[in-house]
């Protein structure tokens, strides 16, 4: 709550408005990432390793496609939201976080399927704390809305790295594209 009060004092209504626009566009472009892969991997926990590779590459592909959609939309989004000057830059920063979020899905599913809820909770708590600290720090540095968007991307990178380190999951470089349909039919 303290971080929110500090941000309210340091940022303008316009900053929060632009941030909401970025979140809206990224969320709409990222709908493809919500394929239920995590839930499917948890359901198949006994054969997690078999399905994890497929789920990882489907998630990464969806994250990259979402990022490409945001990048393609970025030059035109400013026209819709009446801010061609700064919105495209914010969308490009946010687009970087989309594949990072996607890459974290499988190692987080591994933690859940291994019933390592303490680790999941610690990652969630750390994410909240890091977000608050970075948002306030960037606001004090005068970055405004750019700091809010940059925080999302940096926290996504941190969650991805932490999820891989804590879970021990290591993806192979073979995406098994021919098997994707077996996992996608359940999504």
């Amino acid at each position: 709550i303290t971080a929110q009060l500090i941000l309210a004092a340091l940022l303008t209504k316009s900053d929060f408005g632009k941030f909401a626009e970025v979140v809206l566009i990224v969320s709409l472009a990222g709908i493809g990432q919500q394929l239920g892969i995590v839930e499917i991997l948890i359901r198949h926990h006994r054969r997690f390793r078999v399905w994890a590779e497929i789920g990882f590459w489907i998630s990464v592909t969806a994250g990259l496609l979402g990022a490409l959609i945001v990048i393609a939309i970025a030059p035109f989004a400013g026209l819709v939201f009446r801010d061609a000057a700064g919105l495209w830059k914010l969308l490009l920063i946010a687009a970087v976080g989309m594949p990072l979020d996607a890459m974290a899905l499988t190692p987080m599913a591994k933690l859940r399927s291994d019933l390592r809820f303490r680790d999941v909770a610690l990652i969630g708590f750390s994410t909240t704390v890091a977000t608050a600290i970075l948002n306030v720090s960037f606001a004090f540095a005068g970055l405004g809305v750019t700091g809010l968007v940059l925080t999302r991307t940096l926290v996504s990178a941190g969650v991805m790295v932490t999820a891989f380190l804590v879970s021990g999951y290591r993806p192979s470089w073979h995406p098994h594209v021919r098997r994707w349909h077996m996992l996608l039919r359940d999504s």
Side-chain angles (χ1 to χ4, degrees), residues 38 42 46 55 68 70-71 81 93-94 101 109 126 128-129 132 141 167 172 182:
V38 171
I42 292 170
R46 287 194 171 100
L68 289 174
V70 170
I71 291 167
F81 291 105
I93 295 169
D101 287 334
S126 300
T128 302
V129 171
S167 72
S172 74
M182 293 187 287

Side-chain angles (χ1 to χ4, degrees), residues 48-49 52-57 60 103 106-107 110 160 164 167-176:
F48 184 87
R49 190 71 189 161
E53 299 304 317
I54 300 165
F56 175 79
W57 288 107
V60 169
M103 289 172 66
T106 303
K110 178 157 180 37
M160 187 263 303
F164 275 106
S167 72
Y169 173 73
R170 301 293 176 264
S172 74
W173 291 102
H174 190 339
H176 303 286

Side-chain angles (χ1 to χ4, degrees), residues 24-159:
L24 172 68
I25 293 168
V26 169
S27 296
L28 290 175
I31 285 176
Q33 284 183 268
Q34 305 303 317
L35 298 170
I37 299 297
V38 171
E39 291 78 12
I40 293 168
L41 291 175
I42 292 170
R43 188 177 83 203
H44 294 294
H45 66 92
R46 287 194 171 100
R47 298 195 56 198
F48 184 87
R49 190 71 189 161
V50 171
W51 295 104
E53 299 304 317
I54 300 165
F56 175 79
W57 288 107
I58 290 172
S59 297
V60 169
T61 301
L64 288 170
L65 286 174
L68 289 174
I69 290 169
V70 170
I71 291 167
I73 290 173
F76 307 104
L79 301 174
V80 174
F81 291 105
R82 296 177 295 186
D83 180 20
L87 193 55
W88 70 271
K89 175 182 73 171
L90 298 172
L91 288 170
L92 295 180
I93 295 169
V96 172
M98 295 178 76
L100 299 174
D101 287 334
M103 289 172 66
L105 292 178
T106 303
M108 290 300 289
K110 178 157 180 37
L111 290 172
R112 287 184 177 97
S113 70
D114 291 345
L115 304 178
R116 293 174 59 188
F117 300 120
R118 180 178 183 268
D119 292 331
V120 172
L122 284 171
I123 290 171
F125 176 75
S126 300
T127 299
T128 302
V129 171
T131 299
I133 290 170
L134 287 172
N135 277 338
V136 170
S137 298
F138 289 150
F140 271 119
L143 292 179
V145 67
T146 303
L148 296 176
V149 177
L150 187 57
T151 292
R152 280 179 58 118
T153 301
L154 292 174
V155 168
S156 293
V159 168

